[in-house]
Amino acid sequence: MLRHRSGVSLVGILVLTAASMSGQSLKLIPMPREVRVQADQPLTRGVRILCASCDADDQFAADDLADTLKQRGIGTSGGFSIELTRRTPANFTAEMKPEGYTISAAGSTLTVAAATAEGVFYGAQTVKQLIEGSGSQAVLHTAAIRDWPALRYRGLDDDLSRGPVPTLDFQKKQIRVLAAYKVNIYSPYFEHTMQYIGHPLMGPPGGTVTQAQARELVAYAAHYHVTIIPEQEAFGHLHYLLNWEQYAPLSETPHGQVLAPSQPEAMKLTHDMFTELAAVYPGPFLHLGADETVELGKGQTKAAVDRDGLGKVYLDTMQKIVADLQPLHRKLLFWGDIAMHDPDLVKQLPASFKQATIAVSWEYNPQPKGFARFITPFTNAGMETWVGTGINNWSRVYPNWNNAFANIQQFTAQGQQLGITGALNTIWDDDGEALANNNWYGILFGAEAAWHKGEASIPGFQASYGEVFHGDATGKIDAAQKELMVAHQLLHDSPLKTDGSDLVFWIDPWSFDGQREAGQIRSLLPEIRLHAERAITLVAEARNANPNLREQDALDALDLGARRMDLIGLKFQISDEIAASYAHAYALQGSKNKDDRADVGRELGNINAVNGKLQDLRNGYSLIRDLYEAAWLKSNRPYFLRNNLERYDITIQLWLQRIDKVRAAQRQWSNSQNIPAAADLGIPAVAR
């Protein structure tokens, strides 16, 4: 990494574009368009923040910068000057004006200049990252920067309906972090967890975002130039609501997921929800969802779909919803996964529909053949289009960044080439176990890709993340993330063709399915475990090197993810060892040899004793259970937590029951010098 210390002469001036910054020079997320690295400025005497003639927005940016510096122990009453100003230098182009900024250094002053409040704020966020270290040891890496975003809309779509519902305090933290990395959209996803006064059955006690909380978050986000776009499912994904008998007639299939378009009350329900949403969320957008309407045509609308086709029935329904909501005067987003399959019908949509909507094409995995087929059905029809990328956090012990980074990088870059105007990076909590503090690595790469013109550098981001987000100068946090990526890839490349999924974590290794899966990954288990354990070690070493690392909750989540990955391997290994030990003991039980009989006792003791292998599995799940509960409550309400803790508790009980069964076999050996067959205890056969 190139560092130019104060007083060191530069051999020429290094002018770098974002595309050439990967792995060298300044560590910034997102990487600015143009950077000219200049001399470093020690901040031994602190910083003085200047904001002459500031309005309220610019003063907020100045105060936000001052708060960050204070948190790092850097004084803000004297020393080197950082000036925030609303003006446009000569090198300010028209495309820079909405959100762009410049940073320049002269003498003892670093100046952030912009045409708008957004630009001033984003310039101040970059200044935060230019400062390395804390207290009197902090250094400001001065630079000349011209920067502006590739996409106007850069967002995060956050699932609040599949289990975890964040606290208001954590949502405010999300807003602060998103804004710090120049994300300007936050879209909470609702199926049933938003409060509707007109439909009180919808929200679960303890798991509902109240309208008062939503209004508070909207006002909070506005200071950070973040617009909140509520996403309320308006067509599919309404299972929790449709379970109520009152709403059962509206369901396409009994207690299903999808509203039946033929039911007039279905349209009224959508109208009611979005009328209330519009009153709570005053931004220019609302999100209809309307994805994965897989039951459409399977129940009440079967005759219509058989007659007219799925695409026409779907798009006719969408037109009715959009027309009904036009008095709200909002641009309406909808997911593009259904409509994309009928591009000719999309082209035939009336101009009024196209002008009132934004299609969000989504796909969450890498696509070797590219992403155009997800985008062009809408761009070719003249519709405004965003892309929906995914951080691959769902149903996994820790997010799979291999899939996430390739997806985010390529989908966003190819979308830019095809004329998209926005990107929504998505978080999904499908099985309800996901932890919010696992997600920052993917969220920040989404911020990088959406701001970046063209293809964002994955290696460049990976080399910057640990220092920028955590303040880790050792590179160990970056290395820990990569270790878990390797563990995921090993599982993906195995005959099992999975990754570190929750299903693999929870499967009983003594069951038929567990033994089948073990046979497909057995040879890889040591390597998987070594990578997971290396991640745990690296996090500990980084913390030991700097006890004041930032975002400690995210480091706890990283450590927990690695421990869960390690336990996947350990449980299969130990199960094999138990099977082998018991088979050996069983084979020796009839021997007249004293040593053989002693071996039976020793083998049984290896399986079940103070430090027995069964106890290892009990202990592994109980430790992770407690760490998981603590991690959950750092970001979420207690709502839904019990569903996940019960999974741990029942698994712990399973191993306790097995401890008791083997203990009974040990007593039988002591009393009669024989033991039951392995199958009688549920112990699997020895692997061949």
Side-chain angles (χ1 to χ4, degrees):
M1 182 176 65
L2 300 177
R3 292 293 194 202
H4 298 288
R5 298 297 172 188
S6 179
V8 178
S9 63
L10 302 179
V11 181
I13 296 176
L14 182 61
V15 180
L16 299 167
T17 65
S20 67
M21 290 294 293
S22 177
Q24 60 179 322
S25 196
L26 300 177
K27 294 187 175 182
L28 302 171
I29 302 173
M31 183 57 68
R33 293 276 187 124
E34 299 175 8
V35 178
R36 187 190 309 126
V37 178
Q38 297 177 326
D40 288 352
Q41 175 64 49
L43 299 180
T44 52
R45 295 189 298 115
V47 167
R48 180 175 57 172
I49 299 174
L50 307 175
C51 195
S53 302
C54 277
D55 65 8
D57 285 334
D58 295 345
Q59 188 59 55
F60 181 87
D63 293 342
D64 175 69
L65 175 58
D67 287 344
T68 297
L69 297 178
K70 289 175 184 176
Q71 290 169 14
R72 298 187 192 177
I74 301 170
T76 57
S77 59
F80 191 81
S81 295
I82 298 175
E83 179 186 16
L84 308 183
T85 182
R86 192 82 70 86
R87 60 181 171 80
T88 55
N91 60 353
F92 224 82
T93 60
E95 64 178 336
M96 294 178 66
K97 287 185 179 179
E99 297 178 287
Y101 63 93
T102 65
I103 294 177
S104 58
S108 60
T109 301
L110 187 80
T111 300
V112 176
T116 63
E118 290 87 347
V120 170
F121 181 83
Y122 292 143
Q125 304 314 304
T126 299
V127 170
K128 292 178 184 178
Q129 296 184 31
L130 289 171
I131 298 173
E132 182 180 355
S134 60
S136 61
Q137 302 302 309
V139 173
L140 172 64
H141 304 299
T142 68
I145 294 174
R146 291 178 71 239
D147 194 20
W148 66 99
L151 292 176
R152 172 68 184 88
Y153 303 109
R154 308 169 302 280
L156 179 72
D157 192 284
D158 188 10
D159 181 0
L160 272 58
S161 288
R162 311 290 176 78
V165 178
T167 63
L168 181 59
D169 283 345
F170 187 78
Q171 285 187 295
K172 289 180 177 179
K173 174 177 180 168
Q174 287 178 298
I175 295 299
R176 294 193 299 272
V177 175
L178 293 176
Y181 297 94
K182 306 178 177 65
V183 173
N184 60 2
I185 298 290
Y186 174 67
S187 183
Y189 169 88
F190 300 116
E191 294 178 1
H192 66 300
T193 51
M194 180 67 206
Q195 179 190 35
Y196 294 105
I197 304 302
H199 295 271
L201 286 179
M202 202 162 186
T208 302
V209 175
T210 69
Q211 294 190 3
Q213 290 166 342
R215 287 190 172 96
E216 183 175 342
L217 188 65
V218 166
Y220 187 85
H223 293 298
Y224 291 88
H225 306 284
V226 173
T227 298
I228 297 183
I229 304 178
E231 178 184 351
Q232 172 59 59
E233 284 288 358
F235 199 166
H237 286 296
L238 288 168
H239 175 68
Y240 291 103
L241 177 67
L242 297 176
N243 269 343
W244 291 103
E245 191 64 23
Q246 176 178 326
Y247 296 97
L250 309 186
S251 185
E252 173 73 11
T253 59
H255 301 118
Q257 311 279 343
V258 177
L259 290 176
S262 59
Q263 291 288 343
E265 287 296 311
M267 186 66 67
K268 182 180 183 302
L269 172 65
T270 298
H271 178 92
D272 291 348
M273 291 190 298
F274 279 85
T275 299
E276 289 198 41
L277 278 181
V280 175
Y281 297 94
F285 305 105
L286 297 170
H287 197 324
L288 301 173
D291 58 314
E292 296 183 322
T293 53
V294 294
E295 295 165 3
L296 189 63
K298 307 297 184 183
Q300 295 194 50
T301 60
K302 184 178 188 307
V305 169
D306 288 346
R307 182 184 64 248
D308 300 328
L310 180 64
K312 187 175 189 314
V313 172
Y314 175 85
L315 287 171
D316 284 351
T317 304
M318 293 299 294
Q319 289 180 71
K320 291 176 183 177
I321 293 172
V322 169
D324 179 67
L325 299 180
Q326 282 311 287
L328 300 178
H329 303 292
R330 306 297 173 86
K331 198 91 166 183
L332 302 173
L333 284 68
F334 71 96
W335 297 115
D337 58 307
I338 307 299
M340 65 174 279
H341 297 293
D342 291 281
D344 290 338
L345 292 178
V346 174
K347 286 182 179 179
Q348 295 167 21
L349 287 167
S352 58
F353 179 90
K354 295 177 183 179
Q355 292 166 0
T357 59
I358 298 173
V360 187
S361 60
W362 65 268
E363 169 56 36
Y364 303 141
N365 287 302
Q367 295 293 312
K369 295 182 179 180
F371 291 89
R373 66 189 178 92
F374 300 95
I375 302 169
T376 55
F378 307 106
T379 55
N380 287 348
M383 296 183 66
E384 184 174 2
T385 307
W386 296 3
V387 296
T389 58
I391 70 167
N392 264 262
N393 69 306
W394 45 89
S395 306
R396 291 169 170 85
V397 299
Y398 194 71
N400 185 341
W401 305 125
N402 304 298
N403 286 351
F405 286 174
N407 169 261
I408 293 167
Q409 179 199 57
Q410 294 299 311
F411 202 2
T412 308
Q414 291 172 28
Q416 290 181 30
Q417 293 173 349
L418 293 168
I420 64 167
T421 57
L424 273 181
N425 201 13
T426 62
I427 294 170
W428 300 109
D429 301 327
D430 289 9
D431 65 4
E433 291 188 35
L435 295 170
N437 277 306
N438 284 347
N439 298 332
W440 296 117
Y441 202 41
I443 291 171
L444 267 61
F445 186 66
E448 175 72 50
W451 183 273
H452 191 103
K453 181 68 172 177
E455 188 177 284
S457 169
I458 294 173
F461 172 81
Q462 291 178 304
S464 299
Y465 171 82
E467 186 166 327
V468 171
F469 191 61
H470 293 290
D472 173 37
T474 68
K476 293 180 184 293
I477 299 303
D478 296 324
Q481 295 281 10
K482 290 180 180 179
E483 293 289 346
L484 286 184
M485 292 175 72
V486 175
H488 270 300
Q489 195 64 44
L490 285 166
L491 283 165
H492 178 270
D493 292 342
S494 73
L496 190 56
K497 298 298 181 187
T498 184
D499 57 11
S501 72
D502 288 334
L503 291 175
V504 178
F505 179 78
W506 288 117
I507 197 166
D508 178 7
W510 289 17
S511 69
F512 174 82
D513 286 340
Q515 283 293 291
R516 179 184 56 82
E517 291 192 2
Q520 295 175 302
I521 60 175
R522 184 170 282 116
S523 64
L524 299 172
L525 296 177
E527 190 174 358
I528 291 167
R529 293 195 64 206
L530 287 171
H531 286 291
E533 291 166 18
R534 181 63 180 152
I536 297 169
T537 301
L538 286 163
V539 172
E541 289 175 348
R543 282 174 149 164
N544 290 335
N546 181 2
N548 297 315
L549 291 177
R550 301 188 292 273
E551 303 296 344
Q552 291 284 342
D553 290 348
L555 295 179
D556 289 342
L558 171 57
D559 175 87
L560 176 57
R563 291 178 186 276
R564 293 187 78 200
M565 184 73 79
D566 189 64
L567 187 54
I568 288 174
L570 179 64
K571 74 173 181 180
F572 286 117
Q573 289 177 324
I574 283 182
S575 293
D576 285 349
E577 292 163 6
I578 289 173
S581 287
Y582 199 86
H584 187 220
Y586 192 80
L588 293 177
Q589 65 177 327
S591 174
K592 303 295 185 183
N593 184 288
K594 180 180 179 182
D595 290 340
D596 287 346
R597 292 198 300 274
D599 280 348
V600 173
R602 278 193 292 271
E603 292 285 23
L604 294 175
N606 286 338
I607 296 170
N608 186 55
V610 173
N611 293 318
K613 296 182 185 299
L614 288 172
Q615 282 75 12
D616 291 338
L617 292 176
R618 176 202 64 189
N619 297 346
Y621 278 100
S622 61
L623 172 63
I624 289 178
R625 178 222 187 267
D626 293 344
L627 294 174
Y628 179 88
E629 181 178 21
W632 176 283
L633 293 172
K634 287 175 180 175
S635 57
N636 297 322
R637 309 173 193 204
Y639 168 78
F640 204 89
L641 173 59
R642 181 162 184 173
N643 289 321
N644 296 325
L645 294 184
E646 288 291 333
R647 194 77 182 263
Y648 282 98
D649 291 343
I650 199 169
T651 301
I652 295 165
Q653 286 297 320
L654 175 65
W655 293 108
L656 285 170
Q657 290 166 7
R658 287 170 174 168
I659 286 170
D660 289 342
K661 285 185 177 181
V662 174
R663 184 171 292 119
Q666 289 171 301
R667 288 195 296 268
Q668 181 175 325
W669 171 250
S670 297
N671 294 332
S672 61
Q673 296 294 286
N674 64 73
I675 55 177
D680 293 341
L681 302 179
I683 297 173
V686 176
R688 301 299 179 188

